Amino acid sequence: MSTETDSVKVEEKLYYNRYVVDAGRPHVKIRPHEVPSQALLALTKICPAGCYALNDKGQVEVTPDGCMECGTCRIVCADTHDIEWNYPRGGFGVLFKFG
Amino acid sequence: MVEQRFDAIVVGAGPSGNAAAYTLAKEGLNVLQLERGEYAGSKNVQGAILYSDALEKLIPNFREDAPLERHVIEQRLWMLDDASYTGMHYRSEEFNEEKPNRYTIIRAQFDKWFSQKVRDAGATVLYETTVKELIRNTSGKVIGVQTDREDGAVMADVVILAEGVNGLVGQRSGLRDELKPDTVALAVKEMHFLPRDVIESRFNLKGDEGVVIEAMGSVTLGMTGTAFLYTNEESISVGIGCLVSDFTEKREAPYELLERFKSHPAIAPLLAGSEVKEYAAHLIPEGGYNAIPSLFGDGWLMVGDAGHFVNAVHREGSNLAMTTGRVAAETVVRLHRMRKEMTKANLAEYQERLEKTFVLKDMRKYRKIPAFLHGNKETLFGLYPRLLSKAAQTWFRVDGLDKKAKEKAIVSSFRQARTLRGMIGDAFKLARAWR
Ligand SMILES: Cc1cc2nc3c(=O)[nH]c(=O)nc-3n(C[C@H](O)[C@H](O)[C@H](O)COP(=O)(O)OP(=O)(O)OC[C@H]3O[C@@H](n4cnc5c(N)ncnc54)[C@H](O)[C@@H]3O)c2cc1C
Ligand code: SF4
């Protein structure tokens, strides 16, 4: 499948989009953990905005600035209770011009 | 906030909420509609094909000023393998009718237009307002909503939940369960801009004619899903979606899947030279009839994607959303006129009315399809498209091999990959699920 060379940079895609970031009030949070669950590990790959990444201690971190509010991570972690998911405050978050 | 009491509150300004709020306001009810986005459509994503019929029932002359892109005159269904595609095209001059049946649209623009109609009809619409939860009285009846605004409680006789697939209000108020990963698809989509004459020559179109392509096969890497490419006036919508459970299991990145689809030899030439202006992601409820939650209760109704109203086989959603929104509102209007309470028993009329529409009939007809597609994904989305391509290639290549030998080769390639029994079994299972 995809090799390093043909893999795309999701950051470049998100760059097309418009966001109103609610600074200091992330709408997606990960509960503190030592060892990430399989569900959390999957998110580092399947979040369409690439918001999830492993840090150097082997834990999963989320940076929801580019989040498109799809809800996938919430559903994937519904059973593990790894994350707390809310909509951003009214008016904040992604703003689709086309949708 | 605003005036504190309403006949009805509608949560969400997508097609289902707009249909509901429009119908209620037009009939003279005092309606409040709440939308979390900066404008209607700012949070919404769709392919997008608009089916005229559902909208015509609400706004018969919508063609006069709705932001429509192209009317669809050609439908292509493609089975892809890595280097080839086998396709069915249906194109008809009869789709160039006076009142076309299907259009492509751009959701953010369409929703804004629809929202203006809702306001013109007299509803109070508040944007940038997220509903946090339902407010109930001591006997459990829903009597209003709590919003994220200061003094954000508003009361109404009935609340219509049109909050879409991520229906947090309904879930957190215990009206239904969290979505299951195998009942929702995650779709990613890009908008590619090209001059209109380029689009018209690439797709063999004149004027506002449009083409839509649905594709399945090796691009989803054995996951349950489909891809699409729709022509707009000066842009092309291109996207791909698969079940969340499959993404999780395979750990594939959705945007890499999209890149793969865009670079497929059948697709790449259609997009060549385009400028990308947006990348979006959204869930689609695909669990079908069995995933539909309770649709009504004391003081509340559920419509559109929140009620899991999507027909995945026919890729219809917005029309089911508008129809359920309208029917819910008509139920409320009738009860209101008769001065009846918005109790669970009275609101049951919503479901009875829905039973008579295409919505529940179609959903019920395909109730076994989601399980069938999911249970047979490797064969349906991987093996068969590959076999079909191979067979077509054997058939069309002129290479000195006699035709009988070619037929034999095709049959044996199918047999090798899937036993005759397996194939008959698949066909039989599909037929049964289809009924
Ligand atoms: C990629 C893709 C392609 C599709 N293609 C097609 C197609 O071609 N044709 C078709 O008919 N259907 C298609 N669909 C399905 C269609 O988009 C949906 O069925 C339809 O949008 C559902 O309408 P809705 O009003 O129920 O929900 P939505 O359109 O999702 O609207 C819900 C609204 O509620 C708002 N909201 C949510 N929670 C709150 C809250 N707590 N407070 C305030 N506001 C809130 C949201 O911001 C949103 O505006 C597609 C879907 C996707 C994702
Ligand atoms: S909601 Fe979607 S885009 Fe946002 S962090 Fe979760 S998976 Fe990523």
Side-chain angles (χ1 to χ4, degrees):
Chain A
M1 229 320 278
S2 63
T3 58
E4 279 305 314
T5 44
D6 71 5
S7 94
V8 274
K9 284 217 168 58
V10 68
E11 298 79 13
E12 280 168 23
K13 291 182 179 287
L14 298 173
Y15 183 74
Y16 310 128
N17 296 351
R18 236 188 99 211
Y19 294 93
V20 183
V21 175
D22 200 355
R25 295 174 73 150
H27 63 285
V28 183
K29 292 178 201 153
I30 303 189
R31 295 197 199 282
H33 58 275
E34 287 297 320
V35 181
S37 64
Q38 287 302 316
L40 272 183
L41 286 172
L43 290 179
T44 62
K45 198 69 188 165
I46 71 168
C47 164
C51 296
Y52 291 83
L54 273 177
N55 66 17
D56 47 18
K57 288 188 226 109
Q59 289 141 359
V60 175
E61 284 178 355
V62 62
T63 316
D65 292 2
C67 171
M68 294 177 281
E69 298 159 33
C70 69
T72 302
C73 54
R74 189 191 78 240
I75 291 166
V76 169
C77 293
D79 294 337
T80 58
H81 306 285
D82 283 319
I83 60 182
E84 194 189 311
W85 199 97
N86 283 293
Y87 280 125
R89 275 194 294 162
F92 288 90
V94 72
L95 278 168
F96 293 121
K97 281 188 301 243
F98 307 107
Chain B
M1 209 153 86
V2 280
E3 180 193 339
Q4 297 291 299
R5 188 164 181 92
F6 290 86
D7 294 328
I9 291 173
V10 177
V11 182
S16 66
N18 285 339
Y22 180 81
T23 306
L24 293 165
K26 217 178 50 169
E27 295 300 325
L29 272 68
N30 187 11
V31 189
L32 173 67
Q33 187 184 30
L34 301 163
E35 164 59 46
R36 68 188 192 88
E38 184 184 286
Y39 45 85
S42 65
K43 300 292 184 185
N44 301 340
V45 180
Q46 192 180 325
I49 303 171
L50 171 79
Y51 306 96
S52 309
D53 180 65
L55 182 56
E56 228 160 19
K57 289 203 165 74
L58 289 155
I59 306 175
N61 60 348
F62 76 89
R63 293 178 180 84
E64 284 168 18
D65 56 357
L68 306 169
E69 293 287 313
R70 291 175 179 276
H71 64 276
V72 181
I73 62 149
E74 181 176 333
Q75 169 90 49
R76 304 181 184 173
L77 273 172
W78 287 0
M79 297 269 255
L80 308 177
D81 84 358
D82 291 334
S84 30
Y85 74 95
T86 317
M88 192 194 83
H89 294 197
Y90 181 73
R91 183 181 178 115
S92 174
E93 201 42 44
E94 285 175 7
F95 285 132
N96 278 319
E97 55 215 326
E98 198 193 325
K99 293 187 164 181
N101 178 259
R102 294 186 303 164
Y103 295 90
T104 52
I105 55 163
I106 291 173
R107 263 298 288 274
Q109 294 164 5
F110 178 82
D111 286 6
K112 246 188 200 168
W113 167 85
F114 203 169
S115 186
Q116 184 60 48
K117 295 281 169 200
V118 172
R119 281 182 292 167
D120 293 347
T124 305
V125 185
L126 279 187
Y127 305 105
E128 303 196 334
T129 310
T130 304
V131 173
K132 309 279 277 184
E133 57 192 27
L134 298 171
I135 301 172
R136 299 171 192 255
N137 66 13
T138 45
S139 56
K141 181 176 187 289
V142 171
I143 52 168
V145 301
Q146 185 67 45
T147 72
D148 65 349
R149 293 205 174 201
E150 215 169 298
D151 298 324
V154 234
M155 302 302 162
D157 292 342
V158 66
V159 175
I160 299 184
L161 290 167
E163 51 179 337
V165 61
N166 278 310
L168 292 186
V169 179
Q171 270 159 39
R172 292 184 179 167
S173 305
L175 305 186
R176 65 130 185 273
D177 298 334
E178 176 60 287
L179 297 159
K180 301 278 178 294
D182 60 354
T183 62
V184 277
L186 165 63
V188 285
K189 178 195 163 187
E190 282 178 0
M191 289 295 285
H192 286 247
F193 282 76
L194 280 167
R196 60 179 304 160
D197 56 318
V198 174
I199 293 179
E200 281 153 24
S201 68
R202 274 184 200 175
F203 290 88
N204 192 15
L205 301 169
K206 54 181 192 310
D208 286 335
E209 294 172 342
V211 166
V212 299
I213 303 174
E214 314 284 351
M216 55 185 280
S218 61
V219 275
T220 62
L221 305 170
M223 301 188 281
T224 314
T226 49
F228 62 87
L229 184 154
Y230 300 157
T231 56
N232 303 315
E233 215 165 284
E234 296 189 313
S235 61
I236 294 176
S237 307
V238 53
I240 190 161
C242 295
L243 285 182
V244 168
S245 53
D246 284 357
F247 272 125
T248 316
E249 193 186 308
K250 293 251 181 186
R251 301 219 176 156
E252 290 293 340
Y255 41 88
E256 281 172 12
L257 220 57
L258 181 59
E259 287 307 304
R260 216 181 136 88
F261 179 56
K262 279 162 45 189
S263 60
H264 190 281
I267 299 295
L270 300 174
L271 296 174
S274 63
E275 188 195 348
V276 184
K277 292 201 180 166
E278 192 164 84
Y279 167 63
H282 206 276
L283 294 177
I284 311 176
E286 298 213 332
Y289 185 78
N290 297 329
I292 297 177
S294 308
L295 298 171
F296 59 91
D298 273 333
W300 62 274
L301 293 167
M302 215 179 273
V303 298
D305 277 8
H308 223 100
F309 288 113
V310 165
N311 180 338
V313 176
H314 291 261
R315 309 204 34 125
E316 295 175 21
S318 63
N319 56 332
L320 280 67
M322 286 185 215
T323 304
T324 52
R326 174 176 59 79
V327 172
E330 285 169 356
T331 308
V332 167
V333 168
R334 203 185 77 90
L335 294 178
H336 179 82
R337 293 250 164 86
M338 297 175 62
R339 295 180 193 285
K340 281 192 173 176
E341 292 248 342
M342 301 290 163
T343 56
K344 183 172 182 177
N346 289 336
L347 289 170
E349 183 184 321
Y350 165 50
Q351 179 133 9
E352 287 157 24
R353 283 174 179 247
L354 273 190
E355 297 282 356
K356 299 195 187 92
T357 66
F358 74 97
V359 175
L360 279 180
K361 287 183 190 162
D362 285 357
M363 296 292 292
R364 189 174 287 115
K365 172 170 161 53
Y366 290 137
R367 69 196 176 283
K368 291 179 189 152
I369 293 277
F372 174 76
L373 295 180
H374 190 42
N376 296 277
K377 59 188 176 210
E378 303 288 346
T379 347
L380 292 173
F381 297 92
L383 183 67
Y384 282 146
R386 262 198 325 275
L387 286 175
L388 210 62
S389 288
K390 182 102 186 305
Q393 183 156 145
T394 312
W395 188 247
F396 291 120
R397 201 184 273 281
V398 176
D399 50 9
L401 200 66
D402 68 274
K403 303 302 181 227
K404 193 160 177 200
K406 277 181 185 284
E407 266 176 33
K408 246 172 105 176
I410 292 171
V411 173
S412 90
S413 78
F414 270 78
R415 286 255 181 98
Q416 263 165 21
R418 188 108 179 100
T419 61
L420 187 59
R421 220 165 157 195
M423 272 194 280
I424 293 170
D426 291 341
F428 188 69
K429 275 188 280 185
L430 177 64
R432 222 173 27 191
W434 204 266
R435 267 208 310 249

